[in-house]
Amino acid sequence: MKDTVLYFVIPCYNEEAVLPETAKRLYSKCERLIRAGKISPLSRILFVNDGSTDATWAIIQKLHEYKPLFAGLSLSRNRGHQNALLAGLLYAREYCDVSISMDADMQDDVEAVDEMIAKYEGGCEIVYGVRGNRDSDKWFKRFTARRFYKLMHRLGVEMVNDSADFRLMSRKALLALSEFREVNLFLRGIVPMIGLKSDTVTYTRGERLAGESKYPFKKMVEFSIEGITSLSIQPIRLITNLGITIFLVSIAFLIWSIVAKALGMTVQGWSSLMVSVWAIGGLILLSIGVIGEYIGKIYLEAKARPRFIIERILNDGPKKEEEPMTVQELLDEIRQEMPDVTLN
Ligand code: UDP
Ligand code: MG
């Protein structure tokens, strides 16, 4: 639709190596979409600079000077991928009809965007980009990712398998997202909670254009723990169940030791004693750790610190006017949808 304002939201952390090429590809995509009458010329490619220490922001500034189609936000410091993305989406919410989030390294396929927009035009509010295969990943990442999605499902977290943060969200979906105020952010688990009509588009994930992955192994592990603990309380329940089981086992031990005493087989059992002391000690420490993890989360949520601070904005696109509906318009709408209802 000609007047659909589309905002691409691209978080960037030290991406000077890929940014010029990414900008070129997105620009040509946008131009084609505008020319085909699919999106409005007021659409933007919004780069969110996540506190980069290289020339990323300078490149974004240059791009904005060159064409107003490029817009930029700069966060006051590095806040991590999820927060940078959220900053971009929440900013775009006031300007766009529909947003598409993508990584800066062009691992997400720009060509899948057409299909996403088609689904949006067909009435979808959220369209998830789903990876057709994981051939571009090393076997280790493939293996751990598969286990992770399985585990999340088992923990009762609703997630679209193999979907990362390549996603179309309508303005309505963005407004709904802004109602989720959690500080511990795992977007791909939160977005499905919004509901609304959604669909998926399958694409092939390519290699990073250039530069290094900003998700080394340690960060990936932290990210998955964040995902689990911010969305599921099953681990705490698991501990409770474990406690009950161990209690039952200890009763069995008690009976056994009374029987052993009665039969006169006492001093033995040093090794089983040692084993149980260590095993239970380990379990207790682990359990305290898991509970501590949740208390830490509660602590952070309770403080409700801002999730990001926007330092600078480069965008001359107009804000969407929030048109308040008059009572008459509201009544007309209801009458149209439900003609048999009588209204005064
Ligand atoms: N990113 C970010 N802040 C960070 C780390 C990463 O904004 O602290 C961005 C990064 O610039 C990229 C996206 O998040 O656009 C995904 O990062 P990357 O491609 O390095 O992750 P991978 O694809 O290797 O999982
Ligand atoms: Mg990447």
Side-chain angles (χ1 to χ4, degrees):
M1 282 162 266
K2 228 170 46 222
D3 33 342
T4 304
V5 177
L6 168 68
Y7 267 51
F8 280 100
V9 178
I10 324 281
C12 311
Y13 177 55
N14 291 348
E15 296 286 11
E16 62 180 9
V18 296
L19 217 48
E21 178 61 26
T22 301
K24 206 155 80 190
R25 291 193 193 182
L26 285 174
Y27 184 81
S28 92
K29 182 83 220 169
C30 263
E31 247 204 338
R32 270 179 285 154
L33 286 169
I34 292 170
R35 238 183 286 129
K38 289 270 168 205
I39 60 172
S40 146
L42 292 174
S43 300
R44 292 284 180 270
I45 300 161
L46 177 69
F47 293 109
V48 183
N49 171 34
D50 185 18
S52 303
T53 50
D54 65 357
T56 299
W57 182 241
I59 297 173
I60 296 170
Q61 277 174 311
K62 275 264 151 55
L63 288 167
H64 175 69
E65 275 164 32
Y66 168 64
K67 292 274 175 192
L69 192 64
F70 294 110
L73 291 187
S74 190
L75 303 190
S76 60
R77 52 160 297 172
N78 180 251
R79 291 292 293 130
H81 176 199
Q82 298 290 294
N83 284 308
L85 183 54
L86 183 76
L89 291 175
L90 294 190
Y91 173 82
R93 163 192 64 155
E94 294 178 29
Y95 293 80
C96 69
D97 295 303
V98 60
S99 71
I100 294 181
S101 50
M102 282 179 102
D103 284 354
D105 55 6
M106 289 286 103
Q107 284 191 282
D108 304 325
D109 182 13
V110 191
E111 296 314 314
V113 162
D114 299 271
E115 215 181 314
M116 285 184 166
I117 295 176
K119 297 224 156 140
Y120 165 74
E121 285 171 351
C124 284
E125 306 284 350
I126 303 174
V127 185
Y128 300 93
V130 172
R131 306 174 60 159
N133 63 52
R134 283 190 165 261
D135 291 348
S136 66
D137 278 351
K138 300 214 173 60
W139 76 266
F140 181 71
K141 188 154 186 177
R142 213 155 40 201
F143 175 76
T144 47
R146 200 163 301 143
R147 296 252 60 96
F148 177 68
Y149 283 103
K150 273 239 170 77
L151 177 69
M152 291 300 268
H153 276 293
R154 203 162 300 155
L155 293 178
V157 177
E158 213 182 299
M159 254 168 68
V160 180
N161 273 348
D162 280 333
S163 72
D165 286 306
F166 181 27
R167 196 187 305 116
L168 173 145
M169 291 178 81
S170 71
R171 190 172 147 79
K172 198 191 243 176
L174 292 176
L175 284 171
L177 178 67
S178 63
E179 298 291 325
F180 289 74
R181 303 195 189 279
E182 45 223 279
V183 175
N184 301 293
L185 201 59
F186 190 74
L187 283 172
R188 65 193 75 167
I190 294 175
V191 175
M193 285 186 206
I194 294 177
L196 299 176
K197 190 168 174 313
S198 59
D199 205 340
T200 56
V201 163
T202 311
Y203 73 103
T204 312
R205 192 163 163 94
E207 299 275 348
R208 183 170 245 285
L209 273 183
E212 299 250 298
S213 169
K214 275 69 187 174
Y215 271 105
F217 183 66
K218 185 165 166 278
K219 252 200 194 170
M220 275 227 322
V221 173
E222 282 169 8
F223 188 49
S224 21
I225 292 179
E226 177 80 38
I228 294 169
T229 52
S230 69
L231 294 169
S232 168
I233 53 159
Q234 288 292 343
I236 287 188
R237 273 201 205 130
L238 224 73
I239 290 177
T240 315
N241 292 339
L242 201 70
I244 294 170
T245 316
I246 288 181
F247 178 65
L248 293 178
V249 171
S250 74
I251 289 180
F253 259 113
L254 187 75
I255 295 170
W256 179 74
S257 60
I258 292 171
V259 172
K261 178 123 182 131
L263 295 179
M265 327 181 323
T266 23
V267 186
Q268 276 179 351
W270 180 83
S271 30
S272 58
L273 203 70
M274 283 306 275
V275 170
S276 26
V277 166
W278 280 93
I280 297 206
L283 279 177
I284 290 174
L285 283 183
L286 176 71
S287 312
I288 293 176
V290 173
I291 293 170
E293 186 75 29
Y294 283 95
I295 294 181
K297 290 260 138 83
I298 296 169
Y299 179 58
L300 288 177
E301 296 289 357
K303 277 194 289 202
R305 283 185 183 151
R307 294 172 285 187
F308 50 81
I309 291 167
I310 296 176
E311 192 180 356
R312 269 166 296 177
I313 299 174
L314 299 174
N315 183 20
D316 34 32
K319 262 193 192 176
K320 284 269 155 194
E321 290 295 329
E322 206 65 75
E323 299 131 22
M325 213 180 235
T326 62
V327 177
Q328 195 50 50
E329 280 169 344
L330 183 67
L331 287 179
D332 287 345
E333 195 170 279
I334 297 174
R335 260 192 213 106
Q336 252 177 13
E337 274 173 26
M338 296 182 274
D340 349 320
V341 178
T342 36
L343 295 166
N344 302 316

